[in-house]
Amino acid sequence: MQTQEPTVNISPDHSDRDAPPGSSGLTNVEATRRLAEYGPNEPAPTRRLSGVAEIARLFANPLVLILLVASAVSAWLGENIDASIIVTIILLSVSVNFWQSYRSQRAADRLRASVAPTATVLRDGSWQEIPLRQLVPGDVVRVSAGDLVPADARLLDSRDLSVQQSMLTGESLPADKSASASDAHRTTGPEAVDLIFLGTSVVSGTATAIVTGTGPHTLFGDIATRLRSRVPETEFERGMRHFSLLILRTTTALVLFILLIGIVVKHDPLESLLFAVALGVGLTPEFLPMIATVTLTQGALRMAREKVIVKHLPAIQNLGSIDVLCSDKTGTLTSGVMHVDRWLDPAGAISQRPLALASINSRCQSGIRSPLDAAILEAAPPDASGCVKVDEIPFDFERRRLSVVVSTPGDARTRLLITKGAPESVLAICEAMEIDGQVKALDPAARAAAAEAYRQLSADGLRVLAVACRPLDVRDAYSRDDEAHLVLTGFISFADPILSDVSEVLEELRRDGVTVKILTGDNPSLAQHVCRSIGLGEDRVVTGDDLEGLDDAALGHVAEQGALFARVSPAQKNRIILALKHRGHVVGFLGDGINDAPSLHAADVGISVMGAADVAREAADVILGERSLRVLHRGILAGRRASANMMKYLLMGTSSNFGNVFSMAAASVFLPFLPMLPTQILLNNFLYDLAQITIPTDNVDESYLRVPQRWNMRVIGDFMLFIGPISSFFDFLTFYVLLRFFHAGAVMFHSGWFVESLATQTLVLFVIRTMGNPFRSRPSRALTITTLAITGIGVSLPWTPLAGALGFSPLPGAYGVFLLAASSAYFILVDVAKRRLVRRHGL
């Protein structure tokens, strides 16, 4: 893969000499000046429209532009009232749309800012945590294992630094980096040993570096800019696009049909155009973007109260769709708070030797700090050995061990290598063992006894580390090749208490259609013990070795049937997730480790925690305030609530609303006058949309929350095909009654039809909002008040002083009786059809 050289954007007067090693770094004043000069440290800054531009975008809707032109023509012809009404309705509609979307977008931005990545930077002589976007060229930064590299930078100092650069180079293995002592033959690409780059992550070690490029002026910034316009669609966004295209095609055909009919029956050309465009507006869900934004943001705010932060709003839909959740057991099934349980020699007897060596290893290492290290240092007495660190062989997920090389007091001729790690990994490189200070051969019988000792600890539900050592000659550097011919000194076991409520939460997740699969790097005996203790009851354990020989098809079957996967590597976790997705599951992955980023990207919903490594939090779609299955379960239910309320708006727009618009189009064919004036259609549509802006606050049926929810265009299409004609039937019944029994002229027909249309298409929301009995499902107070108030306003208009200006006249009392009876019958038939559709689709 070819790569482009990064842009080093420090100008001559702002060179590396501004902040040499040991200096106080930049001052905050100078950093502020440079931030204004170079811009924020964002590789592809989000293009956010200003308020004025957003309003202009709403007015740029083709149907709105046609209405504005038509209103201008009306005013020119002397129809000032009609022109004023059209403009007023357009202004009100755009204002409501803009204000709701603006408030929701600001709320979503605040949520994302709360989990924005930070960088450790030297400012005014002290190390500070600042938002990553505020870094500037010349800043001195510090990075360690688990951090994202915050910008393009040149290393000033490093210790055992390895960086994952696959995003830039495509190379899967980490690259070793170190500060260069010479400028000779220096390159400026990812292969440079002394350069680190934005978009990469630190796998092991620590370093300080000076920033040479930020934001778009980085190697990753150039890539991000080129790819910015090609972000993959989520399932939610794809469904929204398909729905919008369906409505656009229907609207275009309808407008052309009405114009043709107007020409054939010789209606007034301007009125025919206005009528056709108004019908197009009536069918077009112009509030859909606003309703979608408000619904998803309301869901995000509700989830934030449950300690679940959503970084990308469309992820809410996917969160509610999860039917398989993959997670590690530590911190999910267990508390994640480790304490040392016991320390044993290879024969299983109590011995201080492994704890003493492990404490030196944990104290000297500069790589990943795990809870096990904290537990070791807490349990071990103060270090009095006098050992000094010489070198380190960092941990990686293939070896599953970490080694340090130390010098010991009084012995200048040798060094001591101390290794700790997974028992299988350490035992495999040992050829002797130490018992009571005596070194003995690790023959097959002794090796089997040692293996049985740690397996028994694992079977008791304890995590186990093996500790080994060997003397080495004095030399400049040490490598993984030195991890051989070791002496096994023993084992350290750790207790990690099982969470008290985990069995209950797992049962709730099962009840709500979410299958939990445990993917852990721990050994099978320990994982099996924990799962049995919480009632997961998994007798079969699939190990990483079992997965190695499986092709993708076989892996998919095993991944679907199994629930416990032990001793799996990060790459194997990724394979399991992809296999589950290939079999049609919506997969969530809960991870917080350095190497979890690929799996977080691969899952439909990547989930991490506040305390996770930077690279994991950045890769995730959802961040949990605390690592808890109960918190995540509440987040899944909140996602389903948001999904349900979004679906209500879509079902309304494609059923009763579509039926009413179709009825108007059909009536224009045989009526000697327009069935409703253009201004009345626009007013009807505005009031109808206004009644639905509180849908995001609505309650959701418990039955809906019990099942994973996915975007289903077939349901939307069937509602249009089955509910729409029922609406049209009652519309035609209203036409017949107005013309046959009330002998209605144009004004009375417009009034009666306006009242019936608005009342039925608005109040039917109480039927469509639930898949069950509408009398047993209580709507939210806000939705009830808004819907009833808007209906009341619309029905009363023919009796108000505005009636004349709007083209209405009072209706006879007998029509009110008909309206009540017809509306009741309509709601009953809609409920019957809805229940049949529910059974048909298994909703």
Side-chain angles (χ1 to χ4, degrees), residues 231-312:
V231 178
E233 283 184 314
T234 66
E235 182 183 1
F236 173 77
E237 291 167 331
R238 190 181 305 110
M240 288 280 284
R241 179 170 57 82
H242 289 164
F243 174 76
S244 299
L245 287 174
L246 170 66
I247 295 298
L248 177 62
R249 295 190 191 100
T250 307
T251 301
T252 302
L254 186 63
V255 170
L256 294 176
F257 173 75
I258 295 299
L259 284 175
L260 178 63
I261 293 301
I263 294 172
V264 171
V265 300
K266 298 182 180 179
H267 285 160
D268 178 81
L270 178 60
E271 279 205 341
S272 294
L273 173 63
L274 282 173
F275 180 74
V277 174
L279 277 186
V281 172
L283 185 59
T284 303
E286 69 272 22
F287 273 22
L288 178 58
M290 181 267 287
I291 290 289
T293 301
V294 173
T295 301
L296 296 178
T297 305
Q298 288 283 345
L301 292 173
R302 188 180 294 113
M303 291 165 74
R305 290 192 289 270
E306 302 287 354
K307 300 182 181 180
V308 180
I309 306 298
V310 179
K311 291 170 58 181
H312 313 292

Side-chain angles (χ1 to χ4, degrees), residues 483-501:
E483 293 179 327
H485 314 298
L486 269 61
V487 177
L488 178 67
T489 62
F491 306 102
I492 302 175
S493 63
F494 304 82
D496 183 11
I498 295 172
L499 295 172
S500 58
D501 65 344

Side-chain angles (χ1 to χ4, degrees), residues 125 179 185 199 218 264 267 302 308 324 420 642 670 701 767 775 780:
H185 308 296
T218 60
V264 171
H267 285 160
R302 188 180 294 113
V308 180
V324 174
K420 75 175 191 298
F670 63 84
D701 294 345
V767 178
F775 293 103
S780 69

Side-chain angles (χ1 to χ4, degrees), residues 660-671:
N660 283 335
V661 172
F662 177 77
S663 301
M664 291 189 201
S668 66
V669 176
F670 63 84
L671 285 176

Side-chain angles (χ1 to χ4, degrees), residues 800-819:
T800 66
L802 295 174
L806 296 172
F808 294 141
S809 65
L811 294 163
Y815 182 75
V817 175
F818 162 76
L819 180 61

Side-chain angles (χ1 to χ4, degrees), residues 642-718:
S643 172
N645 287 332
M646 187 70 237
M647 186 62 71
K648 290 173 189 177
Y649 179 79
L650 298 180
L651 294 180
M652 285 289 292
T654 53
S655 54
S656 62
N657 189 30
F658 177 81
N660 283 335
V661 172
F662 177 77
S663 301
M664 291 189 201
S668 66
V669 176
F670 63 84
L671 285 176
F673 49 80
L674 294 176
M676 198 181 291
L677 297 179
T679 54
Q680 294 167 350
I681 296 175
L682 293 175
L683 179 60
N684 182 293
N685 182 63
F686 174 71
L687 292 174
Y688 167 75
D689 279 336
L690 201 59
Q692 296 183 81
I693 63 172
T694 51
I695 283 180
T697 70
D698 193 22
N699 301 322
V700 176
D701 294 345
E702 283 296 314
S703 60
Y704 193 92
L705 301 179
R706 298 286 80 88
V707 182
Q709 300 298 330
R710 304 185 70 170
W711 188 277
N712 194 333
M713 287 298 294
R714 287 185 58 194
V715 172
I716 296 173
D718 282 356

Side-chain angles (χ1 to χ4, degrees), residues 98 178 228 360 375 528 641 682 693 772 840:
F98 170 76
S178 62
R228 178 170 52 191
I360 296 172
Q528 197 169 39
R641 289 189 184 95
L682 293 175
I693 63 172
R840 177 176 179 177

